[in-house]
Amino acid sequence: MRKGRVFAGGILLALGIFICQQAIQLSLGQASRPGPGFVPFGLGSILILLSLLYLVPILQTAERGETSRVPSKFHRTLLAVGILCLFNGVLTGLGYLISTFLLFILWLMLIERKKWQLSLGLTCLALVFVYVFNLLFSVQLPKGLLMAF
Amino acid sequence: MEQLTGLFYGFSIALTWQNLTYCLLGTLVGTLVGVLPGLGPAATVALLLPITFKLPPVSAIIMLAGIFYGAMYGGSTTSILLNIPGEAASVVTCIDGYQMALQGRAGPALAIAAIGSFIAGTIGIIGLNFLAPPLAEFAVQFGPPEYFALTLFGLFLAAYLASSSMVKGLMMVVLGLMLDEIGIDPIMGVARFSYGVLPLQEGLDFVPLAMGLFGIAEILINTERAMKTQLVTERIDRLFFTLRDWTEAKWATLRGSVLGFFVGILPGGGAVIASLISYAVEKRVSRNPEKFGKGAIEGVAGPEAANNSAATGSFIPLLTLGIPGNATIAMIFAALLIHGVQPGPYLIRENPEIFWGVIASMYIGNGFLLVLNLPLVGMWVQVLRVPYFILAPFILLLCIVGVYSTRNNIFDIWVMIFFGGVGYFFRKLEFEPGPLILAFVLGAISERTFRQSLLMSKGSPWIFFSRPISCALMVMLLALVALQVFFMVKRKTKSLDQFRGAG
């Protein structure tokens, strides 16, 4: 947890410095006529200050026998993000029906570890749901390969 | 008198069959969301936001408001029967509610929660009804310095109240304001932080950000948890409380209603804080504080009343000042903007149908909720049996379709996935995303009014102290900051003393 906090504090500190640097490039202007970088520079500076206020006490406290451990089911979270990325990556090309099929079948079988029969049944239900939803609310989801139908 | 005329006008709008249907739908979805653990009202409002695009603005807001206060009712069912809060504002209801259920008193616990919520909801609406119009009249005098001071004060309070740590809360606020900087500068017209990416030049959209931080992050967190729960399954024989129960609970209900309403008005206050404060107050004023934690009915009645009236109270800053006080209200604020309606002091004059229609619909919705949560409690118990592994991918699908339908853009789904990952780490590291969303929504107002104020004063920051309203707000803000710094230094000195003492 401590390492995670240090990492988060570090990222936010770096973000603050980056924003300040970018804000200077955008032009700060003057207090009487603030430029586009004026407010971002102020926000970046506050973020730097807050990150330091957050980081310093964590760094001052010694690590008391705390073992850094990745959550036991973190691979499932990574897999879930992977499935979502895959879905979005193929959505335009394959269309929403095939992509939804992939999303559901992979989610239920790999994340939820359900049997293929149940996964297939729920996937079919999801396809009907997304099709009806698309029709009902006239959402223009990409049709992809099924464009002709 | 003006309020009563307005209310009658509101009822003429809310009682059309179309708006009645949306009110019922909102309260139904709200109760469902409250009942189901793992999906809060903020995520649901974000989820259903795109669906409301094709509705008339008043119907859309009636439905979204119904989801918000409906979730407050539904949350108690899960807390009492499962010992799992359906949404954050029902956390404290678990303590005594579940104990009552274990003692075979689930019926009275559910009934007092529903009746208490109804009373509190009604008190909250009456407060909203009579307090909002004069406040809106007052807010008409606000100029850029007042608005800037108010948003700053609101954001600070949100950071202070919604997070366990002040520094973390403020970091979230600053991040939210920064994300709002992406896109075209509102005064100079220069593209900022878009790096030639066309969708970024239009600025980050609110819907993918909110769905990522709330909806996707929640699902990602739940992939690591076993969502198996112990439902109190004994038949709920007597779905009403005795006269003795009512005697014990009535003052708790009234105290919770009034307290919740005023906490709800505070920016950053909201239902969660209201229920926590109410529980602490009830324990303190009780003649038998030892009963708390062992099935005290006041421990259910007070917090449930408080979270409902707080939900209603939090509409006041939105409808009168155009300042959302919590994440769910921020979503409703975004919905109003999407529908071309500017929330704020002029709302009552320019869009009276929305202002009064929504208030009148709350009276009706409160009645719907009483029916939905008392006689139909058995139905919600059945809903609790739907396994989470079925719900999760469907919620995911709703998030994706919802985000895509906003701008028909694949880029927005990437934004949602990215912020889903960010939200996951926020939860892990105990960063509360509520203040971020609030700051993102208020970012445009705060930057515009800040820069306008500086232009007005030729660069002098004293403008914020030279006008009475903004001066009062800035002084309160500075006093709060000073108090926080004082407590931080005191804590630090105390721990140093302890360290030296141990050495």
Side-chain angles (χ1 to χ4, degrees):
Chain A
M1 201 62 162
R2 185 178 179 270
K3 275 188 183 161
R5 285 185 183 139
V6 172
F7 182 70
I11 293 268
L12 291 171
L13 181 66
L15 183 68
I17 295 168
F18 174 74
I19 296 289
C20 282
Q21 184 263 333
Q22 293 286 301
I24 292 169
Q25 283 189 358
L26 277 169
S27 154
L28 300 180
Q30 294 163 340
S32 56
R33 199 175 150 72
F38 190 82
V39 174
F41 184 79
L43 290 172
S45 311
I46 298 172
L47 190 63
I48 293 171
L49 180 75
L50 289 169
S51 307
L52 291 173
L53 279 173
Y54 175 71
L55 269 174
V56 170
I58 301 170
L59 293 173
Q60 277 177 345
T61 334
E63 221 169 334
R64 294 192 197 100
E66 193 184 307
T67 51
S68 85
R69 57 185 169 81
V70 176
S72 60
K73 288 176 181 168
F74 185 63
H75 66 279
R76 283 172 72 164
T77 312
L78 279 180
L79 197 59
V81 175
I83 292 172
L84 278 173
C85 290
L86 177 75
F87 169 86
N88 207 26
V90 298
L91 182 60
T92 319
L94 297 183
Y96 76 94
L97 284 175
I98 300 175
S99 308
T100 304
F101 177 85
L102 283 174
L103 172 77
F104 261 71
I105 208 88
L106 290 175
W107 189 278
L108 289 165
M109 290 183 73
L110 299 179
I111 307 275
E112 305 292 354
R113 306 271 167 87
K114 297 295 162 198
K115 285 184 180 160
W116 71 267
Q117 295 95 327
L118 178 64
S119 302
L120 198 64
L122 286 170
T123 304
C124 291
L125 197 69
L127 291 178
V128 174
F129 171 78
V130 75
Y131 184 73
V132 172
F133 195 91
N134 213 21
L135 278 184
L136 217 63
F137 296 101
S138 323
V139 184
Q140 303 293 313
L141 282 168
K143 286 186 178 158
L145 285 178
L146 301 176
M147 184 98 77
F149 299 97
Chain B
M1 194 60 199
E2 196 186 316
Q3 277 94 331
L4 286 177
T5 319
L7 188 63
F8 285 129
Y9 172 60
F11 273 114
S12 73
I13 290 158
L15 284 171
T16 59
W17 69 267
Q18 189 192 17
N19 287 335
L20 275 175
T21 311
Y22 286 116
C23 182
L24 178 65
L25 203 66
T27 50
L28 197 71
V29 173
T31 309
L32 178 72
V33 167
V35 166
L36 291 172
L39 191 67
T44 313
V45 172
L47 214 71
L48 296 182
L49 208 55
I51 294 175
T52 66
F53 290 170
K54 294 209 167 82
L55 301 181
V58 66
S59 309
I61 306 304
I62 283 175
M63 188 171 97
L64 296 177
I67 294 172
F68 184 32
Y69 56 78
M72 299 299 134
Y73 269 73
S76 59
T77 309
T78 333
S79 298
I80 292 165
L81 298 177
L82 274 173
N83 200 24
I84 287 180
E87 43 78 43
S90 295
V91 169
V92 282
T93 311
C94 290
I95 305 172
D96 285 287
Y98 189 64
Q99 285 302 319
M100 283 180 76
L102 288 178
Q103 292 159 16
R105 299 181 69 218
L110 288 167
I112 202 72
I115 300 279
S117 298
F118 177 76
I119 294 170
T122 310
I123 290 174
I125 302 162
I126 293 170
L128 173 65
N129 196 160
F130 289 93
L131 213 67
L135 203 66
E137 280 297 313
F138 175 66
V140 170
Q141 305 165 27
F142 282 23
E146 285 78 13
Y147 264 106
F148 175 70
L150 189 68
T151 49
L152 201 64
F153 183 66
L155 289 174
F156 189 84
L157 266 188
Y160 176 64
L161 294 173
S163 295
S164 53
S165 144
M166 185 75 216
V167 173
K168 280 183 180 176
L170 285 176
M171 280 166 130
M172 291 289 99
V173 165
V174 173
L175 270 181
L177 292 172
M178 276 179 168
L179 289 172
D180 194 60
E181 294 293 314
I182 297 171
I184 304 288
D185 170 37
I187 293 179
M188 302 281 190
V190 178
R192 299 185 294 192
F193 306 105
S194 55
Y195 307 103
V197 181
L198 205 62
L200 282 184
Q201 283 186 9
E202 294 170 28
L204 274 184
D205 191 45
F206 173 78
V207 178
L209 177 73
M211 282 201 194
L213 284 175
F214 286 93
I216 301 292
E218 190 73 53
I219 291 172
L220 292 181
I221 284 279
N222 288 336
T223 55
E224 291 178 2
R225 288 185 200 149
M227 293 290 282
K228 279 181 185 158
T229 44
Q230 194 66 49
L231 183 69
V232 176
T233 47
E234 293 103 68
R235 260 185 60 224
I236 302 164
D237 293 330
R238 187 170 52 88
L239 198 62
F240 218 79
F241 41 80
T242 60
L243 194 64
R244 193 174 154 221
D245 287 334
W246 175 241
T247 314
E248 285 175 1
K250 66 181 176 193
W251 292 115
T253 302
L254 286 175
R255 268 192 298 270
S257 306
V258 177
L259 188 141
F261 179 73
F262 287 105
V263 173
I265 296 176
L266 288 177
V272 183
I273 314 273
S275 59
L276 290 169
I277 297 177
S278 166
Y279 190 81
V281 167
E282 288 316 315
K283 202 171 172 183
R284 182 154 289 187
V285 300
S286 172
R287 283 184 196 151
N288 309 302
E290 69 283 354
K291 275 195 325 183
F292 280 75
K294 293 170 190 156
I297 198 160
E298 304 96 300
V300 177
E304 277 304 312
N307 68 32
N308 274 276
S309 59
T312 314
S314 57
F315 277 88
I316 289 187
L318 173 77
L319 297 177
T320 59
L321 304 168
I323 306 280
N326 57 56
T328 316
I329 292 287
M331 312 275 175
I332 297 176
F333 176 87
L336 281 165
L337 291 183
I338 289 166
H339 281 280
V341 178
Q342 180 65 49
Y346 295 103
L347 181 76
I348 193 164
R349 232 180 273 170
E350 288 169 6
N351 299 91
E353 75 287 357
I354 294 182
F355 186 88
W356 291 111
V358 171
I359 291 182
S361 79
M362 287 178 172
Y363 284 101
I364 301 164
N366 226 11
F368 281 152
L369 284 167
L370 196 63
V371 179
L372 285 173
N373 282 272
L374 268 182
L376 298 181
V377 72
M379 183 179 86
W380 302 116
V381 172
Q382 293 309 314
V383 168
L384 284 173
R385 293 180 204 276
V386 177
Y388 188 76
F389 77 84
I390 296 178
L391 289 175
F394 276 97
I395 294 170
L396 211 58
L397 195 59
L398 265 178
C399 285
I400 291 165
V401 177
V403 163
Y404 185 82
S405 64
T406 321
R407 298 200 288 192
N408 287 352
N409 198 337
I410 296 278
F411 180 80
D412 284 341
I413 306 180
W414 286 121
V415 171
M416 179 185 72
I417 297 171
F418 174 76
F419 281 104
V422 171
Y424 166 85
F425 285 109
F426 280 168
R427 301 278 173 97
K428 284 275 165 189
L429 298 166
E430 292 160 2
F431 281 91
E432 179 56 49
L436 188 152
I437 284 289
L438 212 58
F440 181 77
V441 169
L442 289 176
I445 306 173
S446 56
E447 182 181 3
R448 197 186 61 237
T449 52
F450 176 64
R451 286 169 69 176
Q452 280 172 345
S453 304
L454 286 182
L455 284 169
M456 278 164 70
S457 68
K458 297 191 175 66
S460 167
W462 288 110
I463 190 169
F464 302 112
F465 295 91
S466 61
R467 298 160 66 123
I469 301 169
S470 61
C471 179
L473 288 163
M474 289 305 249
V475 167
M476 281 199 289
L477 175 69
L478 291 176
L480 261 173
V481 174
L483 211 68
Q484 276 303 306
V485 173
F486 171 73
F487 283 128
M488 256 170 77
V489 172
K490 202 176 162 188
R491 265 200 306 270
K492 191 89 187 158
T493 322
K494 202 176 167 185
S495 62
L496 265 175
D497 285 347
Q498 278 173 351
F499 180 72
R500 281 191 195 122

